[in-house]
Amino acid sequence: MSFANALSLRPSVLRATQLCLHQSRNLHATTSRASASTLSTDLFADMGMDKPRPVAPELPPRGPIEWTAENPVAPSSKPVPGKDGLHPPKYHFHAHFSPNNTKIFLADDKFRPVPKGSWSGGSCGFKGVNRSMQEAGYRCAVNAFGRINEIVQEKGPITLAVHLRGFGKGRQAVEQIFLTSEGDKVRPLVVEVEDRTHIKIGGTRAKKARRL
């Protein structure tokens, strides 16, 4: 603003402008004196480095980590707890179907064989090629379901993971028995079904074609 424009302003406006400039000078002087009084001759004291530093936590932490908050990824439906108040153990139902035999065995939650938990077409009384037929698979599955019901009575609620392997004739019988009346007590326990059949990719070189 030039001097000529300043003269054309009203006296009240000029007075208000002078008061604002005077207050800003006083505030700047007060702040300068306060900042100068807080500083000392010791640079480390001014930076706060004279105080003892907190001990850093041990990295990485040892021992199990205790979670204080609930896991947000956990499923909304909680499984039925067992007798010990924890989640029910997961047992495994393994069924192997080959062109010559049918085998079924049970394993616990630590993949250990269950006592009296293995059956085959031969152990069920079938001989020869009949060990791989549908009747042999049906009989093995019925015996396995009976053993699972005994485990539930002894140890409380459990879950069951079904693992199938092979394409023998007994496979169809075992798959259908889960849907019949024999599997009414075992069907609600199944939480996982897996097919572990080996798939041949490539393979070895075929024999030379015979020439006549």
Side-chain angles (χ1 to χ4, degrees):
M1 180 181 296
S2 61
F3 182 73
N5 295 334
L7 294 177
S8 62
L9 296 176
R10 295 181 180 181
S12 59
V13 177
L14 293 176
R15 180 61 180 170
T17 306
Q18 292 176 358
L19 289 176
C20 292
L21 294 175
H22 183 67
Q23 292 178 359
S24 62
R25 292 192 187 96
N26 294 339
L27 179 61
H28 179 69
T30 305
T31 306
S32 301
R33 289 194 299 271
S35 59
S37 61
T38 55
L39 298 177
S40 62
T41 57
D42 191 355
L43 180 61
F44 291 96
D46 295 337
M47 297 178 63
M49 300 177 62
D50 57 336
K51 300 179 181 179
R53 298 183 180 181
V55 180
E58 185 180 2
L59 296 176
R62 298 180 180 178
I65 301 176
E66 297 181 0
W67 298 97
T68 57
E70 185 178 359
N71 185 7
V73 191
S76 58
S77 60
K78 297 182 180 180
V80 180
K83 291 185 177 180
D84 53 353
L86 303 177
H87 298 333
K90 180 189 290 187
Y91 279 67
H92 300 270
F93 179 94
H94 296 270
H96 181 203
F97 311 99
S98 65
N100 300 321
N101 201 352
T102 301
K103 299 178 182 179
I104 295 178
F105 63 92
L106 301 176
D108 59 4
D109 54 344
K110 297 182 180 180
F111 300 97
R112 298 174 300 188
V114 175
K116 300 180 182 180
S118 62
W119 303 268
S120 65
S123 64
C124 293
F126 296 90
K127 302 296 181 180
V129 71
N130 294 329
R131 296 180 299 176
S132 62
M133 292 299 175
Q134 296 184 359
E135 184 63 26
Y138 176 83
R139 184 54 53 191
C140 292
V142 169
N143 295 337
F145 287 179
R147 182 66 178 126
I148 293 174
N149 294 332
E150 293 178 0
I151 295 174
V152 173
Q153 295 177 359
E154 295 174 0
K155 300 186 178 181
I158 64 171
T159 57
L160 192 65
V162 180
H163 309 281
L164 307 176
R165 177 182 173 184
F167 293 107
K169 295 182 180 180
R171 175 169 180 154
Q172 184 178 3
V174 174
E175 292 177 351
Q176 290 180 353
I177 196 174
F178 278 95
L179 306 178
T180 59
S181 59
E182 287 83 354
D184 290 342
K185 296 182 179 180
V186 180
R187 194 184 314 117
L189 306 177
V190 178
V191 296
E192 178 183 350
V193 178
E194 181 184 11
D195 191 348
R196 294 187 173 184
T197 304
H198 295 171
I199 299 177
K200 181 180 179 181
I201 301 177
T204 58
R205 181 178 179 180
K207 296 180 63 176
K208 180 180 178 181
R210 182 182 177 186
R211 293 185 180 182
L212 298 178

